[in-house]
Amino acid sequence: MYSSLPADPPPIRAPFHAPVAHLIRGGVVEGVHHGSVVVLDAGGDVRFELGDIEAACYPRSALKPLQAVAMLRAGLPLDGALLSLAAASHSGEQRHLSGTRRILERAGLTEDHLRNIPDLPFGPAVRDTWVREGRPPSRLAHNCSGKHAAMLYTARLNGWSLDDYLDPAHPLQQAIAEIVEDLTGQRVATVTVDGCGAPLFAVSLRGLAVAAARLTTAAPGTPEARVADAMREHAEMASGSGRDVAALMRAVPGLLAKDGFEGVQLAALPDGRAVAVKIADGASRARVPVTAGALARAGVDAPSLAAFAGEPLLGGGRPVGEVRPVPALDPVAASACA
């Protein structure tokens, strides 16, 4: 445990976002994405910031690694690929569906016990196949089903009720809230409901980066280290084939990365350097280039980030521009400043 006295909760306010990415078409800035970015050095101090890193925000699925830590601390006996799946926003591939079934089977439960909403697979190719086959939305196919299966398994092991495992007052969710505060070092600002139906805790962007660093610098064998190791070793189980977050972890040795809806991204290196990103309009196309720039600001070599530094814009079916981070976050320029 890190602190028995977390800091005050972050303020709930309209965030003071700043420009973080430009849409450049034919040499003209066609649009601007606003957001906030924080980069922590290995000592946990703020090395670089843009926008508002202290306002309360919802991490969305970027919170899943912390939820997985809480479940391990509560006795969840998963490791490797299945632990990565417990922290996943998966694409709905067969390995994800089979893995979720295995977690449920270990708990003596079935898909019918899941309380996440039915959905189509998150991965576009998987979803297209699913629709062509005439398959309806499924709780198992939902990108959060691995997390929900792990929540049920944790509840079953502790003798907690199953039907209401998503209630914020449930012992499982109380345990998760405690770990979120422990790892971020601050009290939760407010609680709402995530898209999958699970409680969602508001923390600051800086707090999210602190938590990511605590996972990657934790002692071997601790719940934090087990989650970080599982996600790095089984990156596609935590996401899916062709997903940018898995590619980013493959490109940067030792990197832990997790994305979340509404333009959220966290990433941390083994020495504790960490970044957290929030794109104000939720646009995923800006999330990766801005994250690449933030990692360059953290000292990651620009060549390993080159493939992530721009998102192509098409005109007539061919590239005519790209989404690029603002100059302060450009990987080449940022590496020179790191």
Side-chain angles (χ1 to χ4, degrees):
M1 305 293 280
Y2 295 96
S3 173
S4 58
L5 294 172
D8 290 341
I12 298 175
R13 65 186 180 215
F16 309 128
H17 290 307
V20 293
H22 290 156
L23 284 69
I24 303 171
R25 184 183 296 270
V28 174
V29 176
E30 182 180 29
V32 179
H33 287 292
H34 289 70
S36 295
V37 180
V38 61
V39 178
L40 302 181
D41 63 23
D45 294 323
V46 174
R47 179 172 184 166
F48 175 84
E49 63 180 293
L50 266 181
D52 193 343
I53 68 171
E54 301 294 353
C57 69
Y58 291 124
R60 302 300 300 269
S61 285
L63 197 68
K64 285 176 178 173
L66 282 64
Q67 293 169 314
V69 169
M71 288 187 275
L72 289 182
R73 289 191 186 182
L76 180 68
L78 295 181
D79 278 298
L82 292 185
L83 178 55
S84 183
L85 181 60
S89 299
H90 66 70
S91 291
E93 299 165 17
Q94 188 56 50
R95 59 179 154 188
H96 302 129
L97 306 185
S98 298
T100 300
R101 288 193 188 98
R102 289 202 302 274
I103 295 173
L104 289 168
E105 288 168 359
R106 291 189 184 187
L109 303 171
T110 70
E111 180 180 353
D112 292 336
H113 289 90
L114 294 170
R115 292 292 178 265
N116 57 288
I117 61 171
D119 201 359
L120 297 174
F122 180 70
V126 185
R127 182 172 60 249
D128 289 348
T129 300
W130 192 282
V131 171
R132 282 198 304 271
E133 294 174 349
R135 303 172 70 178
S138 158
R139 296 186 191 276
L140 202 66
H142 192 286
N143 75 91
C144 299
S145 65
K147 177 185 76 175
H148 281 257
M151 285 181 170
L152 282 166
Y153 193 5
T154 304
R156 170 58 65 88
L157 289 168
N158 285 276
W160 297 329
S161 56
L162 302 182
D163 288 346
D164 61 342
Y165 75 93
L166 296 181
D167 189 324
H170 190 278
L172 171 65
Q173 303 303 337
Q174 291 291 300
I176 290 173
E178 181 179 334
I179 297 311
V180 169
E181 293 187 336
D182 183 31
L183 292 175
T184 61
Q186 59 188 194
R187 294 201 301 276
V188 168
T190 189
V191 182
T192 189
V193 181
D194 208 340
C196 66
L200 179 61
F201 307 101
V203 298
S204 73
L205 206 60
R206 181 178 59 82
L208 189 61
V210 168
R214 285 176 167 173
L215 265 63
T216 56
T217 59
T222 60
E224 294 89 335
R226 287 168 59 192
V227 169
D229 289 344
M231 293 180 69
R232 289 181 292 207
E233 292 170 14
H234 303 275
E236 283 77 17
M237 188 62 102
S239 54
S241 301
R243 292 275 292 280
D244 54 60
V245 69
L248 191 59
M249 284 194 279
R250 300 295 184 204
V252 181
L255 185 73
L256 171 68
K258 182 70 186 78
D259 54 344
F261 281 164
E262 299 302 326
V264 180
Q265 180 79 52
L266 65 76
L269 294 154
D271 63 1
R273 287 174 291 162
V275 309
V277 169
K278 164 65 181 174
I279 306 301
D281 61 2
S284 187
R285 66 181 180 181
R287 171 180 53 82
V288 176
V290 171
T291 299
L295 287 170
R297 277 283 182 179
V300 175
D301 290 339
S304 65
L305 300 171
F308 306 97
E311 181 74 16
L313 295 177
L314 303 181
R318 60 185 180 85
V320 295
E322 61 182 340
V323 179
R324 286 203 64 87
V326 294
L329 284 168
D330 181 88
V332 175
S335 288
C337 297

